[in-house]
Structure formats: structure tokens, C-alpha cells
Amino acid sequence: MRGQKTPSSSSSSSSSWFSHFCSSALRTKPVNSPLDTVLVSRNSTDALVRRLGLLDLILIGVGASIGAGIFVVTGTVARDAGPGVTCSFILAGLSCVLNALCYAELASRLPAVVGGAYLYAYSAFNELTAFLVFGQLMIDYHIGAASIARSLASYVVTILEMFPVFKDNIPSWIGHGGEEFFGGTLSINLLAPFLLALLTVILCLGVGESSIVNSFMTVLKVIIVIIVIFVGAFEVDVSNWSPFAPHGVKEILTGATIVFFAYVGFDAVANSAEESRRPQRDLPLAIIGSLLICIALYIGVCLVITGMVPYYLLGEDAPLAEAFSSKGLKFVSILISIGAVAGLTTTLLVGLYVQSRLYLGLGRDGLLPSLFSKVHPTRHTPIHSQVWVGIVAGALGGLFNVHMLSHILSVGALTGCRQVILLFQHAS
């Protein structure tokens, strides 16, 4: 009958669809595609504006890497590794240096456009691999942004409660934790989405404005970390460093795997390629430079915290702040809270920034709707992508607590870094 599909025609249609899917999934992106050439030459109205210098890029990398974790993770890992936690951070840092060198090499070889690990995978492997890398990174970035926003909201409330007018007057659906429903499956918090909306607005204003905010907050937290190291150095008792590895080398190596993700901010630098003034020179320098700065700061904090208090007496929730309080230096605890807010703010700001640029890259390549490829004509930012990123993170941050979000937080980053190493080997 007319219009009725026969089994042979259905089979042919399925085979044709599968063949088209395979050909599309296995195609690679040319290193110098026509669109990338136009974007790099700055002759396109859809190109981002190149305003970021070397210092801006370094501060983006440091801002993405050093959050509140420098005041918490250092102490919590030290409870198991002892003073050897310093070696844990050194080992993790060295492994990240190797990964960062891959990023630096690829950043200098490929066109200076957005994409980062996604772009590298698309150029070296194929479209399907690149899309999977993007998906895994988005899992990490979306959930990470929501988790950081919840933590930031908690720290903001902690600072507000230092004033008597706010003490014990902030409801749970704004303050610490959240208002829980369905046995804790949902945890409503309105401050986290508000903070995400505020940072999204700043990012939509332009890369210059957001870079100023990031630079100010990053410099502030680095200064606070240096003050913490300097003040704590006078309270160090070297006898606390013995034994250096009380639980053996195994715990030091285990600690290195835990703290590895404290260094992955260099991916944010790679995604800033299209907004860098001199990407071929500045990107490799910023990737390596920001990583070395982070390694130095982490080592300094580790030596101080394990030297001030015996490792087995360190607290779990706020080990560094408790260590200073035990020495009668409560003003440093206040500085740590301020540094934590600055650290979480920059980590969240850079995370939202990177997400929007990844969506922009996929929109340009046709893997997402063209809406994501649009750049504002005057602000020169991908506003549609940026707003979408803010909405997704805001929904997750407003509905789920940190515990629920943290279960799958590091999956995307680990796989993305692994793909960069593999494609670097492939490209070489």
C-alpha cells in the first residue's frame, strides 16, 4: 500500500541513519577551520574581545584553584598523613605540572579560541569523544558551582552572624545548610541562587568587569594566605613535625590523590584563549605560573598547620581556624573566614565563566542550538550561555545540599584531564 513502510525500507532507513551518525561522530575538527581563522583574526562580530593580559590569566588560574579548601583540606588530609601532607601536596602538584605542560603545549599549537579540553579532544580524536568530554566537564562544573555556592552562602552567613543584629536571626532556608524536605533529599536554600545570580550579572557585563572582580578577590585571598603563613610561622613547634609520616608512605600517597583536584584551575586559563591578548605566549606562561603559585601557597599552609598543632589534634571542620584559636590568635580566624569568602567567590566566578565559554564553543560547532553561539554586540560576552549556566547552577544550589552534590563532583574533571593527556600523546 502507498505510504506504508516495508521492512526493507525501514531497515534501509535505520542503516542510513546509523551511517550518518557514525560519519558525524567520527569526524574531527580541522586545526585551522575557517570559523576559527576568522575568530582569531578578530574580524568577526561573534568573536570575544581580547582584554586579558598575562597577569589577568595567572589570577584566573589562581582564582579557580585556591578556594576555601586551602583552609580546610590541608588540615583534614593532615589528620591521616600527618606532617607528610606537605609531600602529598608536592606529589599532587608535580603530577599536575605534567598535565599542565600538556595543556600549555596544546594551547600554543591550536587556534586561540574557546573550548579548552573539549577543543583539544575534537581536534585530536573525534566529535563524539569531544562531546563526551564536554558532558563530563559540565557534570563537574555545574555540580561544582552549586556546591561552592552552598558553601559560600554558609560562610557569608557566618560573617553576618558576627554582628549581634544577625546572631541567631537568620532562618535555615537562608543560612547554614537549608530547609530539608523528603528526608533530606531536598534542601532549600535561597541565598545560594541569589549569589549565583549576582555573579552571573557581573559576568554578563563583560570580561573586563569580571576580571577586575576576580583580580581583586584573588589578590585579597592570596594576601590573607600569606599573612596566615607568616603569623603561623612564629607559632610553629618543629617537634610537631616528628614523626613526619606517622602512618607510612601509603597515607601520603592516598592524600596526594585526594588533594589532586586542588590544582585543576589551569583548565580555566586554557578556556580564556579567545580573550587573551597574546594567547600563544601568555597561555603557557599563565598555566604553569598559576600552578606554581598554588603549589607554593599550599606547601606553606601545610607546614604551618602541622607545625602549630600536633596532627592528631587538628579539627575536621575548620582545622586552620581552630589551630590559630588555640594559640589565642582569634583575629586570624576572622581573616580566614574572609579569605574563605574571597576564595569561594573567585572559584565560583571563574567556574561560571568557563562553563559559558564551553557552551559557546559547542554552539559554534553545531553540537548545541545556535542560541548558545550568540555573543552580545556591545558587551562581547555569550550572555545566553552565561544565563543558562547560572540557571542550572542556581537550581541545583537551591535544591540540594553539599553532601548530595559532592558524590559525583570530581568525575568530570578527572576524565577531562585524562583525555587531555591521551590526546597530547596522540598529537605527539
Side-chain angles (χ1 to χ4, degrees):
M1 293 178 65
R2 184 176 298 178
Q4 183 176 0
K5 293 184 178 180
T6 64
S8 60
S9 64
S10 299
S11 176
S12 176
S13 177
S14 299
S15 176
S16 176
W17 176 87
F18 183 75
S19 299
H20 177 72
F21 171 80
C22 290
S23 62
S24 299
L26 297 179
R27 64 188 175 193
T28 60
K29 184 175 184 177
V31 173
N32 292 304
S33 67
L35 176 59
D36 289 349
T37 302
V38 172
L39 293 172
V40 171
S41 66
R42 311 183 194 186
N43 293 327
S44 173
T45 56
D46 293 327
L48 302 175
V49 63
R50 297 190 181 276
R51 291 182 180 175
L52 302 178
L54 177 59
L55 180 60
D56 297 314
L57 294 171
I58 291 175
L59 291 176
I60 286 175
V62 175
S65 297
I66 297 188
I70 194 171
F71 305 117
V72 180
V73 175
T74 48
T76 54
V77 176
R79 287 171 59 86
D80 297 321
V85 66
T86 305
C87 293
S88 297
F89 274 93
I90 292 174
L91 291 173
L94 291 177
S95 66
C96 280
V97 166
L98 299 177
N99 198 13
L101 288 172
C102 297
Y103 268 85
E105 176 69 17
L106 291 167
S108 64
R109 285 190 186 187
L110 297 177
V113 294
V114 296
Y118 155 77
L119 173 64
Y120 305 156
Y122 202 170
S123 300
F125 289 115
N126 52 59
E127 187 173 290
L128 180 60
T129 302
F131 191 80
L132 291 175
V133 169
F134 165 78
Q136 290 161 341
L137 287 175
M138 283 303 100
I139 291 174
D140 179 65
Y141 277 119
H142 282 314
I143 297 175
S147 179
I148 293 169
R150 290 296 286 254
S151 299
L152 178 59
S154 181
Y155 272 103
V156 169
V157 170
T158 299
I159 292 179
L160 290 176
E161 287 180 341
M162 293 180 182
F163 301 95
V165 66
F166 294 111
K167 186 68 174 178
D168 299 325
N169 290 327
I170 299 178
S172 60
W173 49 271
I174 293 179
H176 301 289
E179 191 73 24
E180 295 188 350
F181 297 92
F182 306 110
T185 303
L186 293 181
S187 177
I188 306 300
N189 186 296
L190 297 184
L191 184 55
F194 172 79
L195 295 172
L196 283 163
L198 181 62
L199 293 178
T200 298
V201 170
I202 293 174
L203 287 164
C204 288
L205 291 177
V207 67
E209 290 78 1
S210 58
S211 177
I212 291 173
V213 174
N214 176 70
S215 298
F216 172 77
M217 300 295 278
T218 300
V219 170
L220 174 63
K221 71 178 177 184
V222 169
I223 291 174
I224 290 175
V225 171
I226 292 174
I227 291 174
V228 167
I229 294 173
F230 181 79
V231 174
F234 291 96
E235 302 293 335
V236 167
D237 181 358
V238 293
S239 64
N240 291 329
W241 289 336
S242 181
F244 191 75
H247 302 299
V249 177
K250 180 180 178 181
E251 289 297 334
I252 293 177
L253 297 176
T254 301
T257 63
I258 295 173
V259 304
F260 172 82
F261 297 102
Y263 292 112
V264 294
F266 51 80
D267 179 60
V269 180
N271 278 282
S272 305
E274 195 172 321
E275 290 160 296
S276 170
R277 292 173 187 163
R278 291 167 292 186
Q280 304 301 326
R281 189 205 74 164
D282 289 350
L283 286 180
L285 292 176
I287 289 171
I288 301 301
S290 61
L291 181 57
L292 294 177
I293 291 172
C294 293
I295 292 174
L297 293 176
Y298 276 118
I299 291 174
V301 172
C302 287
L303 291 173
V304 165
I305 193 173
T306 55
M308 289 178 62
V309 179
Y311 73 93
Y312 50 83
L313 296 179
L314 290 171
E316 292 187 9
D317 297 328
L320 193 61
E322 292 174 11
F324 278 97
S325 296
S326 68
K327 299 292 184 179
L329 301 171
K330 292 187 176 180
F331 76 94
V332 179
S333 299
I334 297 175
L335 279 179
I336 290 173
S337 295
I338 297 173
V341 169
L344 288 169
T345 300
T346 57
T347 303
L348 186 55
L349 183 74
V350 175
L352 294 173
Y353 164 83
V354 171
Q355 291 177 65
S356 67
R357 272 54 183 178
L358 285 170
Y359 274 104
L360 173 63
L362 268 83
R364 287 173 173 172
D365 292 335
L367 301 182
L368 288 177
S370 60
L371 179 70
F372 291 105
S373 67
K374 297 185 181 298
V375 175
H376 195 275
T378 56
R379 294 295 178 182
H380 300 287
T381 57
I383 289 183
H384 297 95
S385 298
Q386 197 68 70
V387 171
W388 167 252
V389 165
I391 290 173
V392 173
L396 292 173
L399 295 176
F400 301 101
N401 58 30
V402 175
H403 179 73
M404 292 290 292
L405 294 167
S406 62
H407 285 296
I408 52 176
L409 175 60
S410 60
V411 175
L414 178 60
T415 309
C417 290
R418 178 177 177 273
Q419 289 291 344
V420 169
I421 295 175
L422 289 175
L423 65 90
F424 176 75
Q425 294 172 342
H426 183 273
S428 298

